[in-house]
């Protein structure tokens, strides 16, 4: 029970050996565990919500397959489990008291915590997905907040992943909307990778590219079906998400699946934005809004004639490392984010000489690059329509952010990761602030866009 695309991806993955995807896949949990972890005991780790969705079914399947089980570990459903270093230590300590392999039953947070904790003990684990809400199930690395900073902690992916499409289709629709928000970012993220490739910063691995971009359009094609919990639509989204995670595993970094749209989410997450809400603001909701923000920005970028860029003019006031650091510090008022942003930005600082070469390359490649970007990208209005129909966030007002906060996030997002995106191209070309300002000025995408009511789980 899997798909040919997933088989192709698994062939290149060195950690995950099996992805069991389909309606009824929960019943195959025991067989998957026994095949991949023969002779091992199992301990299910879940929270009250995810246990209710799939815990008893997973337990029954494991038992039927003859797997010995510890008592399940079930964390409270409220407040929602937060994936931070303290939680990882807690789960690691629980696992250290048994020789059982963990079976994570849950979505993003539960899986990330169990992944990291298992890896600390050098122990393989199995993941049972309960919602089509993230692409991180099959990814190498876990999204964990470490000492207040949202980080991708290096750790091994699950040895097997069970993707019960019927369980995921029955999950709250906000979780599916979250998954779509995470996946649709692969559109501008792909564009960012193309830019990095064309400028000689980081080559595209086209085999890995196909793993993510191949299933992408099918996966986001039916937002109405996703909102209704239609199993075919959820199966397509789930496949896209698993493929994206496997691509991260094959590539060894999150580059195939994460561009500047993700940095909007990371920035808000590090600011703690929405963390204390009754239902914390999800990764995919933030990423979906970041996707829309980036697609709107790319529309302006595609209208620029960068082949006529005034390189000498730009180099005249090229910042020294100290000036660039001061720029980053001024943008990031929160100390812990500032420290991290200063470090990450220093990692991509260019000397004037290197900048000249970069900008000369940009001038040279721009006509062809612009054409290819135009083929890769989607219009912002189309992204907005998909987000709206699936029930995801598509205006900052829905999560209580002002347009001014969104505007500053474009600038902050450029500073928080060394990984190169189009935000860096604009910064290097001296155009970032003016391009961002155009989005909020008359005629710009965000200008006069009516605020929408605050998002609630009932809306
Ligand atoms: Zn993501």
């Amino acid at each position: 029970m899997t798909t040919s695309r997933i088989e192709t991806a698994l062939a290149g993955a060195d950690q995950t050996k099996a992805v069991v995807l389909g309606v009824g896949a929960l019943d195959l949990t025991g067989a998957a565990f026994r095949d991949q972890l023969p002779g091992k005991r199992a301990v299910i780790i879940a929270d009250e919500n995810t246990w209710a969705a799939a815990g008893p079914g997973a337990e029954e399947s494991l038992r039927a397959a003859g797997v010995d089980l510890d008592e399940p570990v079930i964390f409270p459903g409220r407040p929602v489990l937060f994936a931070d270093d303290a939680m990882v230590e807690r789960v690691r300590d629980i696992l250290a008291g048994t020789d059982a392999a963990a079976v994570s039953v849950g979505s993003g947070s539960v899986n990330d915590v169990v992944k990291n904790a298992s890896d600390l003990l050098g122990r393989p684990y199995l993941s049972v997905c309960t919602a089509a809400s993230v692409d991180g199930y099959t990814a190498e690395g876990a999204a964990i907040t470490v000492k207040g900073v949202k980080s991708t902690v290096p750790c091994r992916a699950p040895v097997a992943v069970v993707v019960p499409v019927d369980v995921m289709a029955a999950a709250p629709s906000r979780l599916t909307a979250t998954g779509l928000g995470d996946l649709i970012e692969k559109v501008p993220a792909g564009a960012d990778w193309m830019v990095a490739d064309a400028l000689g910063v980081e080559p595209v691995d086209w085999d890995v590219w196909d793993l993510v971009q191949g299933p992408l359009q099918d996966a986001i094609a039916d937002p109405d079906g996703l909102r209704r919990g239609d199993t075919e639509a959820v199966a397509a989204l789930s496949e896209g998400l698993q493929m994206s995670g496997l691509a991260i595993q094959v590539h060894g970094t999150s580059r195939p699946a994460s561009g500047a749209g993700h940095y909007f989410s990371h920035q808000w997450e590090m600011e703690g934005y929405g963390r204390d809400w009754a239902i914390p603001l999800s990764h995919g909701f933030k990423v979906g809004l970041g996707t829309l923000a980036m697609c709107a920005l790319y529309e302006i970028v595609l209208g620029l004639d960068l082949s006529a860029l005034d390189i000498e003019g730009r180099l005249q006031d090229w910042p020294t490392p100290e000036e660039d650091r001061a720029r980053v510090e001024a943008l990031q008022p929160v100390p812990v984010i500032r420290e991290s942003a200063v470090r990450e930005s220093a990692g991509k600082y260019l000397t004037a000489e290197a900048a000249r070469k970069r900008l000369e390359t940009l001038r040279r490649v721009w006509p062809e690059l612009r054409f290819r970007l135009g083929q890769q990208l989607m219009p912002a209005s189309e992204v907005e329509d998909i987000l709206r129909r699936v029930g995801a966030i598509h205006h900052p007002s829905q999560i209580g952010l002002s347009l001014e906060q969104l505007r500053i996030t474009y600038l902050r997002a450029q500073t928080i990761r060394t990984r190169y995106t189009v935000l860096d191209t604009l910064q290097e070309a001296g155009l970032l602030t003016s391009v961002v300002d155009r989005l909020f000025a008359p005629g710009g995408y965000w200008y006069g866009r009516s605020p929408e009511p605050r998002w609630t789980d009932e809306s």
Side-chain angles (χ1 to χ4, degrees):
M1 198 182 273
T2 184
T3 70
S4 58
R5 280 169 172 158
I6 286 178
E7 290 298 339
T8 304
L10 283 172
D14 60 349
Q15 297 166 20
T16 303
K17 303 296 174 207
V19 174
V20 187
L21 181 148
V23 171
L26 190 60
D27 297 341
L28 301 174
T29 305
F33 187 95
R34 201 187 45 208
D35 288 352
Q36 301 303 329
L37 298 161
K40 296 271 191 220
R41 292 177 67 77
V43 54
I44 292 177
I45 299 178
D47 68 28
E48 287 167 348
N49 306 317
T50 62
W51 173 263
E59 192 176 44
E60 199 184 304
S61 172
L62 286 159
R63 206 164 264 141
V67 176
D68 289 333
L69 289 161
D70 285 5
E71 277 299 302
V73 178
I74 305 170
F75 291 102
R78 290 281 182 277
V80 174
L81 186 138
F82 182 59
D84 65 359
D85 38 0
M87 194 66 211
V88 170
E89 278 172 35
R90 227 173 122 187
V91 172
R92 181 202 58 195
D93 291 349
I94 292 168
L95 289 176
T98 173
D99 60 357
V103 174
S104 157
V105 172
S107 54
S109 300
V110 173
N111 179 61
D112 278 326
V113 166
V114 172
K115 188 192 291 188
N116 193 359
S118 295
D119 189 67
L120 288 171
L121 297 168
R123 224 177 269 181
Y125 84 104
L126 182 142
S127 175
V128 177
C129 314
T130 55
S133 54
V134 284
D135 67 358
Y137 292 113
T138 37
E140 182 181 338
I144 304 288
T145 298
V146 180
K147 296 189 176 73
V149 179
K150 165 90 173 186
S151 314
T152 304
V153 177
C155 55
R156 292 176 66 80
V159 68
V161 183
V162 175
V163 191
V165 169
D166 45 335
V167 171
M168 298 160 94
S173 64
R174 75 181 153 82
L175 295 175
T176 314
T178 283
L180 183 136
D182 195 15
L183 197 67
I184 200 169
E185 206 272 317
K186 289 25 167 177
V187 173
D192 283 336
W193 202 3
M194 276 181 175
V195 171
D197 178 84
L199 297 179
V201 181
E202 188 181 346
V204 170
D205 177 330
W206 292 107
D207 290 335
V208 171
W209 170 279
D210 287 344
L211 298 180
V212 177
Q213 302 292 333
L216 182 50
Q217 289 303 325
D218 285 351
I220 62 176
D222 187 6
D224 301 319
L226 289 171
R227 193 169 196 165
R228 282 196 308 268
D230 176 78
T231 47
E232 256 177 61
V234 173
L237 176 63
S238 300
E239 185 190 33
L241 290 166
Q242 300 296 335
M243 291 295 289
S244 171
L246 288 168
I248 293 172
Q249 191 179 138
V250 172
H251 194 252
T253 81
S254 59
R255 166 62 98 177
S258 168
H262 261 75
Y263 300 174
F264 283 66
S265 172
H266 297 336
Q267 176 71 35
W268 292 324
E269 178 131 355
M270 288 193 292
E271 290 171 7
Y273 195 75
R275 191 186 292 175
D276 56 352
W277 298 0
I279 296 173
L281 179 57
S282 68
H283 174 71
F285 272 4
K286 288 176 285 196
V287 172
L289 185 55
T291 304
L292 180 53
M294 285 307 296
C295 285
L297 177 125
Y298 262 117
E299 284 179 6
I300 293 189
V301 172
L302 293 187
L304 300 173
D305 183 8
L306 296 175
S307 53
L309 185 69
D310 174 11
I311 297 178
E312 295 313 318
R314 171 57 177 144
L315 290 177
Q316 264 168 21
D317 62 347
W318 189 254
T320 64
E322 293 73 27
E323 284 165 350
D324 199 56
R325 182 190 172 113
R327 173 185 69 87
V328 174
E329 286 180 336
L331 277 171
Q332 297 282 9
V334 180
V336 63
I337 309 176
R338 188 191 309 141
E339 249 175 66
S340 158
V342 162
R343 208 172 39 245
E344 294 284 334
S345 292
K348 58 187 173 186
Y349 174 79
L350 295 180
T351 61
E353 196 178 331
R356 178 190 303 279
K357 282 197 186 121
R358 174 81 47 84
L359 295 174
E360 280 169 357
T361 306
L362 176 61
R363 278 180 58 142
R364 185 164 37 81
V365 302
W366 182 242
E368 196 206 330
L369 176 58
R370 174 160 63 177
F371 175 76
R372 290 171 56 218
L373 291 173
Q375 292 190 311
Q376 167 66 17
L377 287 157
M378 290 165 67
S381 57
E382 199 178 318
V383 172
E384 179 182 332
D385 182 56
I386 291 173
L387 293 172
R388 188 187 290 274
R389 280 158 59 192
V390 81
I393 300 300
H394 50 273
H395 191 291
S397 59
Q398 293 174 288
I399 52 171
L401 284 171
S402 67
L403 286 176
E404 174 53 23
Q405 284 170 302
L406 178 64
R407 192 190 68 81
I408 194 86
T409 305
Y410 277 94
L411 307 180
R412 288 177 177 162
Q414 186 270 326
T415 68
I416 60 168
R417 290 285 189 279
T418 301
R419 178 178 298 153
Y420 194 88
T421 74
V422 75
L423 295 177
D424 297 306
T425 314
L426 291 173
Q427 173 61 23
E428 289 162 3
L431 296 171
L432 181 59
T433 307
S434 62
V435 165
V436 170
D437 286 350
R438 277 177 63 185
L439 288 167
F440 296 87
Y445 187 81
W446 294 111
Y447 179 80
R449 193 154 288 259
S450 306
E452 300 219 5
R454 191 68 183 248
W455 180 85
T456 66
D457 193 23
E458 289 79 44
S459 61

